[in-house]
């Protein structure tokens, strides 16, 4: 995997957006983008929106697939991922809302939600580039530690740690954070043709080190990315602080040949 260590959040945004734009340029206007919620990718979306506003990127025919959704929140709840994706991705990036998909978190539809979502991804031709964040416990999407490394889209139970981490979006009240989610599985995420993971801050340092340099283990779901042929981690200095091979990653990035450089 490639690891790019950046001085600040805006550089993380610029380089991760450049990775997405590079894939979009190769695939063409109907690129399929996998999108994550959380605070980490916001700089990525801002940098992509700047490219769209400048006329350098057109996502009007693109499709987007969200990673996950809480179970039991109405779709118009401001913290539902339906509404979060609309606010942070669909509108600023100018994607046609009819081509934006979020898993169905309605309790009524749970038995078939995973299957229906997998079918929608397949019908769109698969995800070309998946944008990811990572939880402090190493989760990606809502695949908590001990998730099967080949899991598909399904309902999962959130750990107390994840609910605590996400309580900040629910007036700091963990009881307001849903206990269940529907998430793309680790096997589903691995099917994306390229992956870019963004992480910032000291709180993510252990998860990033475990995902990049630790053993491949269901105890750190992000470590499954070691099995993917085309992954880029874009992190800030704090999130990189526990990487033992940081100097090597810096050297590898700086010495990239011209054809492999990102236009950021
Ligand atoms: C959430 C989401 C993940 C996200 C993670 C980190 O629980 N389900 O997709 O990557 O938490 O969030 P943040 O970037 O806000 O730290």
């Amino acid at each position: 995997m490639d690891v790019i260590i950046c001085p600040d959040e805006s550089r993380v945004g610029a380089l991760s957006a450049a990775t997405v734009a590079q894939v979009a340029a190769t695939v063409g206007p109907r690129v399929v983008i996998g999108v994550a919620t959380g605070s980490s990718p916001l700089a990525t979306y801002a940098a992509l929106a700047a490219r769209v506003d400048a006329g350098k990127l057109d996502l009007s025919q693109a499709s987007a697939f969200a990673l996950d959704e809480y179970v039991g929140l109405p779709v118009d709840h401001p913290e539902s991922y339906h509404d979060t994706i609309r606010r942070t991705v669909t509108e600023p990036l100018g994607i046609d809302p009819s081509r934006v998909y979020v898993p169905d978190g309605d309790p009524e539809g749970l038995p078939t939600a995973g299957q229906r979502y997998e079918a929608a991804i397949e019908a769109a031709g698969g995800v070309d580039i998946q944008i990811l964040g990572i939880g402090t416990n190493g989760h990606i999407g809502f695949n908590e530690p001990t998730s099967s490394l080949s899991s598909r889209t399904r309902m999962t139970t959130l750990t107390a740690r994840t609910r605590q981490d996400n309580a900040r979006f629910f007036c700091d009240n963990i009881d307001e954070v849903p206990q269940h989610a529907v998430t793309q599985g680790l096997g589903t995420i691995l099917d994306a043709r390229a992956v870019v993971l963004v992480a910032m801050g000291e709180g993510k340092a252990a998860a990033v080190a475990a995902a990049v340099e630790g053993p491949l283990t269901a105890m750190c779901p992000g470590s499954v990315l070691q099995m993917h042929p085309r992954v880029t981690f874009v992190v800030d200095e704090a999130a990189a602080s526990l990487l033992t091979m940081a100097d090597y990653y810096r050297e590898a990035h700086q010495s990239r040949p011209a054809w492999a450089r990102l236009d950021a």
Side-chain angles (χ1 to χ4, degrees):
M1 36 173 91
D2 285 332
V3 180
I4 305 178
I5 302 172
C6 302
D8 54 38
E9 180 172 356
S10 88
R11 196 70 189 146
V12 169
L15 282 160
S16 51
T19 308
V20 176
Q22 193 182 52
V23 171
T26 313
V27 172
R30 302 187 74 89
V31 63
V32 180
I33 307 175
V35 290
T37 53
S39 37
S40 311
L42 293 179
T44 312
Y45 301 142
L48 284 171
R51 284 174 182 256
V52 170
D53 292 345
K56 290 190 206 153
L57 179 66
D58 178 6
L59 296 176
S60 59
Q61 294 182 64
S63 303
F65 283 87
L67 273 175
D68 45 18
E69 175 58 291
Y70 289 114
V71 169
L73 287 188
V75 291
D76 57 357
H77 186 290
E79 294 309 328
S80 77
Y81 287 174
H82 275 81
D83 205 55
T84 305
I85 292 293
R86 178 190 59 74
R87 233 174 23 240
T88 61
V89 177
T90 314
E91 289 178 357
L93 270 53
I95 303 177
D96 178 345
S98 70
R99 279 194 283 265
V100 177
Y101 302 81
V102 180
D104 179 8
D106 184 338
E108 299 273 305
L110 277 182
T112 59
Q115 239 174 321
R116 283 184 281 127
Y117 205 60
E118 293 276 339
I121 295 174
E122 200 182 321
V127 171
D128 293 304
I129 171 90
Q130 175 66 55
I131 300 168
L132 290 178
I134 189 165
T136 57
N137 63 358
H139 75 233
I140 53 177
F142 269 133
N143 294 280
E144 297 285 31
T146 72
S147 289
S148 159
L149 298 178
S150 60
S151 48
R152 308 303 303 187
T153 307
R154 71 210 182 285
M155 191 198 86
T156 56
T157 305
L158 306 187
T159 59
R161 179 160 174 190
T162 295
R163 293 178 69 218
Q164 188 57 61
D165 285 348
N166 287 1
R168 68 187 194 280
F169 297 114
F170 293 85
C171 307
D172 281 325
N173 182 358
I174 189 172
D175 297 332
E176 294 287 316
V177 184
Q179 213 171 352
H180 299 101
V182 177
T183 183
Q184 285 191 34
L186 295 174
T188 317
I189 293 169
L190 284 182
D191 284 347
R193 287 182 272 276
V195 175
V196 58
L197 185 148
V198 286
M200 281 161 294
E202 214 184 327
K204 297 294 173 70
V208 167
V212 176
E213 296 179 345
L216 172 62
T217 168
M219 285 304 285
C220 175
S223 70
V224 79
L225 298 173
Q226 294 173 21
M227 295 295 290
H228 195 284
R230 206 174 155 202
V231 178
T232 308
F233 274 65
V234 187
V235 300
D236 69 0
E237 292 283 351
S241 59
L242 295 176
L243 289 169
T244 61
M245 292 188 54
D247 290 345
Y248 170 71
Y249 308 136
R250 283 185 230 278
E251 199 183 307
H253 184 59
Q254 276 153 17
S255 65
R256 276 189 186 197
W259 60 265
R261 282 190 203 133
L262 288 165
D263 168 30

